[in-house]
Amino acid sequence: MTELNTLKISEARDALRKGDVTSVELTQACLTAIEGADALGAFVHKTPEMALQQAQDADARIKTGDAPDMCGIPMGIKDLFCTKGVASQAASGILNGFKPGYESTITSQLFDAGAVMLGKLNMDEFAMGSSNETSVYGNAVNPWRLGDSGAKLTPGGSSGGSASAVSSDLCLAATGTDTGGSIRQPAAFTGITGIKPTYGRCSRWGIVAFASSLDQAGPMTKDVRDSAILLEAMCGHDPKDSTSADLPVPNFEAMLTGDIRGKTIGIPKEYRMDGMPDEIETLWAEGRKMLEDAGAKIVDISLPHTKYALPAYYVIAPAEASSNLARYDGVRYGHRATLAQGDGITEMYEKTRAEGFGAEVQRRVMIGTYVLSAGFYDAYYNRARKVRTLIKKDFEDVFAQGVDAILTPATPSAAFALGKEVSDPVEMYLNDVFTVTVNLAGLPGIALPTGLDTQGLPLGLQLIGRPWEEGDLLNTAYALESAAGFVAKPSKWW
């Protein structure tokens, strides 16, 4: 029999309905896998008792014959989501000991649907990073390796723990968040599927904020069908989030026909970067051919302001972060520095924040504070906002010309070794080059694995869709997934 933790959501759901397996058995299989996988650094707060109780409740609900798709499915929750009574630290020392007295909207929806939480997953501190190396818990590690090499690879960031856990079958799925590529880049690095929905499709309430106008939660799963199932459970209007869209949530799974005949797919010339590896170029060309063979019309398009996306993002995101992170001051919750005799409130703020925040968070807070300061607000922040408007208009113009989706690489390379790019922040920031435009424009984007590089590491392609048309985007991804036939899994070494 297949090991239960290796099942997909769709397979587990069907087995649960037939009575072939129970949620308790599924959950126990995942808990056993997690216990033997500390080398991956994926789960940072394990909740086995809670998981087994939720699984028992799910089994009782399934027996009544009235259970949603996610009922009984064991999954991991990124440490950015507030979970009632369970440590929610955003992988930061400054939130050490923080256990919220409330539940984020998305985890509430998932638990209401009967999903089972196995624990909280590792990430970059406050979601700031592209390699999961800024976490107070230590690095998350990619389950994929270079041949027989013992070198540890990054699972990507900031949702590195989520990607590592799903790829190594520690859970059936996980939640992630994406501010500049933090779902899609780790998905591509670990050979799984990740979708960032349209901004406003999923509630941000109860998710620790990084950059409020860019953050969006989404699913990280083993295939496109699972992404459709989990995304439907995560979506919905939330009056507690002023940016949440009051739109009906379609049955995304029902839209997966695989028929994309007559669809128009755009290939943006600006995404051909200098120094891009031949393997990425080849993968992109193969993806283009697969979609064409499936009946789609392929057209070359231009997104002229793409070259300004990364600089604009690295002004806007740190500016919003410096504002959002001002609340972490050691007064109400989390870490507070030990004060010397005569220290006042200013010294308390300074020492607490210096001790509580890691180097990357400090760097971004300082950049953000600088670009928002009186003499530089117009020169940097306002100018970046204008560039953002132009980037959004580029996409609107292309969609107005009848393009249904845009195909691009997901990352500029396969997963790299942990420690390789830490010393050069700019080199690290370049990992987001294909993904940040989607956040700046508020569009849905999905990354899925479509091949392996010459060293046997997974490579992914990205599809960008029209706003609010996740169903159509998922269907195009489903057609690409079917054509690519990616089934590779990492060899177990942990």
Side-chain angles (χ1 to χ4, degrees):
M1 186 183 169
T2 311
E3 288 186 40
L4 295 178
N5 56 302
T6 65
L7 292 176
K8 297 171 182 173
I9 294 175
S10 56
E11 295 167 339
R13 172 193 62 187
D14 296 347
L16 285 164
R17 298 298 174 280
K18 286 180 193 158
D20 294 346
V21 69
T22 66
S23 178
V24 169
E25 288 168 338
L26 272 175
T27 301
Q28 197 59 64
C30 290
L31 292 173
T32 303
I34 291 165
E35 278 312 305
D38 285 346
L40 292 173
F43 276 88
V44 291
H45 299 292
K46 300 169 187 174
T47 56
E49 296 87 359
M50 180 179 171
L52 288 168
Q53 183 58 58
Q54 287 177 327
Q56 286 169 12
D57 295 343
D59 282 333
R61 188 169 172 185
I62 289 165
K63 276 184 183 150
T64 67
D66 176 33
D69 287 346
M70 285 302 297
C71 191
I73 304 295
M75 59 184 297
I77 303 293
K78 187 176 178 179
D79 195 38
L80 211 59
F81 292 77
C82 287
T83 41
K84 188 174 181 178
V86 178
S88 306
Q89 282 185 237
S92 179
I94 207 156
L95 279 173
N96 189 26
F98 176 56
K99 292 183 178 178
Y102 54 90
E103 199 72 56
S104 78
T105 296
I106 284 180
T107 49
S108 284
Q109 287 173 195
L110 289 170
F111 297 156
D112 288 348
V116 173
M117 180 172 84
L118 298 162
K120 303 298 282 290
L121 293 161
N122 206 348
M123 55 177 282
D124 279 295
E125 183 181 6
F126 282 104
M128 297 181 198
S130 304
S131 64
N132 214 131
E133 291 174 274
T134 67
S135 169
V136 73
Y137 309 117
N139 302 342
V141 180
N142 196 324
W144 292 79
R145 286 218 161 155
L146 284 170
D148 297 326
S149 158
K152 291 181 176 176
L153 302 178
T154 176
S158 66
S159 307
S162 300
S164 179
V166 174
S167 179
S168 57
D169 293 319
L170 304 186
C171 53
L172 272 60
T175 61
T177 61
D178 192 311
T179 304
S182 288
I183 285 173
R184 291 159 290 149
Q185 183 246 28
F189 276 3
T190 56
I192 66 168
T193 300
I195 180 169
K196 180 207 94 71
T198 311
Y199 181 80
R201 181 59 102 172
C202 291
S203 171
R204 292 183 299 109
W205 195 86
I207 301 173
V208 179
F210 163 15
S212 301
S213 75
L214 301 163
D215 297 345
Q216 192 62 194
M220 301 182 75
T221 62
K222 297 177 187 181
D223 69 2
V224 172
R225 182 174 296 277
D226 282 6
S227 279
I229 296 167
L230 181 49
L231 181 61
E232 187 182 344
M234 293 173 69
C235 289
H237 176 59
D238 180 12
K240 294 199 287 287
D241 174 4
S242 62
T243 62
S244 172
D246 191 1
L247 290 172
V249 180
N251 181 339
F252 294 124
E253 189 186 7
M255 300 172 82
L256 301 181
T257 62
D259 183 359
I260 57 166
R261 286 171 299 179
K263 296 286 181 186
T264 302
I265 310 293
I267 308 290
K269 63 181 185 184
E270 289 78 10
Y271 282 61
R272 286 195 167 78
M273 302 288 176
D274 290 341
M276 191 159 82
D278 291 342
E279 289 173 325
I280 301 284
E281 191 77 62
T282 305
L283 184 84
W284 194 11
E286 287 170 355
R288 175 181 181 149
K289 174 127 190 14
M290 287 177 207
L291 291 170
E292 200 164 27
D293 290 347
K297 177 186 170 192
I298 308 295
V299 295
D300 289 320
I301 59 168
S302 176
L303 299 165
H305 295 94
T306 295
K307 61 185 175 206
Y308 305 116
L310 215 53
Y313 174 83
Y314 278 103
V315 170
I316 292 167
E320 294 186 10
S322 75
S323 174
N324 278 326
L325 270 57
R327 72 191 71 172
Y328 304 111
D329 52 16
V331 175
R332 284 160 295 188
Y333 50 79
H335 174 74
R336 180 187 291 194
T338 305
L339 303 182
Q341 188 74 34
D343 279 352
I345 193 163
T346 303
E347 288 79 13
M348 187 198 76
Y349 287 160
E350 288 172 350
K351 288 181 179 177
T352 295
R353 289 168 71 80
E355 289 174 13
F357 290 142
E360 182 59 33
V361 173
Q362 291 181 17
R363 180 184 293 117
R364 297 203 199 190
V365 166
M366 287 192 288
I367 291 169
T369 305
Y370 178 80
V371 301
L372 289 176
S373 58
F376 302 103
Y377 187 88
D378 283 333
Y380 290 105
Y381 186 65
N382 265 347
R383 187 172 292 180
R385 285 171 61 208
K386 287 172 184 169
V387 170
R388 179 182 190 168
T389 303
L390 293 171
I391 289 167
K392 189 165 184 283
K393 187 173 185 307
D394 284 350
F395 283 105
E396 286 168 356
D397 291 347
V398 164
F399 291 136
Q401 290 159 22
V403 169
D404 296 293
I406 297 164
L407 180 72
T408 78
T411 57
S413 69
F416 49 86
L418 286 163
K420 178 171 176 264
E421 296 180 5
V422 170
S423 57
D424 184 352
V426 175
E427 189 72 24
M428 187 71 83
Y429 298 164
L430 289 171
N431 279 294
D432 302 332
V433 68
F434 298 128
T435 50
V436 295
T437 51
V438 177
N439 298 80
L440 289 167
L443 299 170
I446 186 168
L448 64 154
T450 53
L452 298 171
D453 72 358
T454 52
Q455 296 176 297
L457 296 178
L459 295 171
L461 288 174
Q462 172 180 236
L463 283 160
I464 303 167
R466 295 164 171 264
W468 314 115
E469 293 189 15
E470 289 86 359
D472 198 49
L473 177 65
L474 283 159
N475 187 45
T476 306
Y478 185 61
L480 181 58
E481 176 185 69
S482 304
F486 184 92
V487 290
K489 298 287 287 184
S491 302
K492 187 171 178 185
W493 55 265
W494 57 93

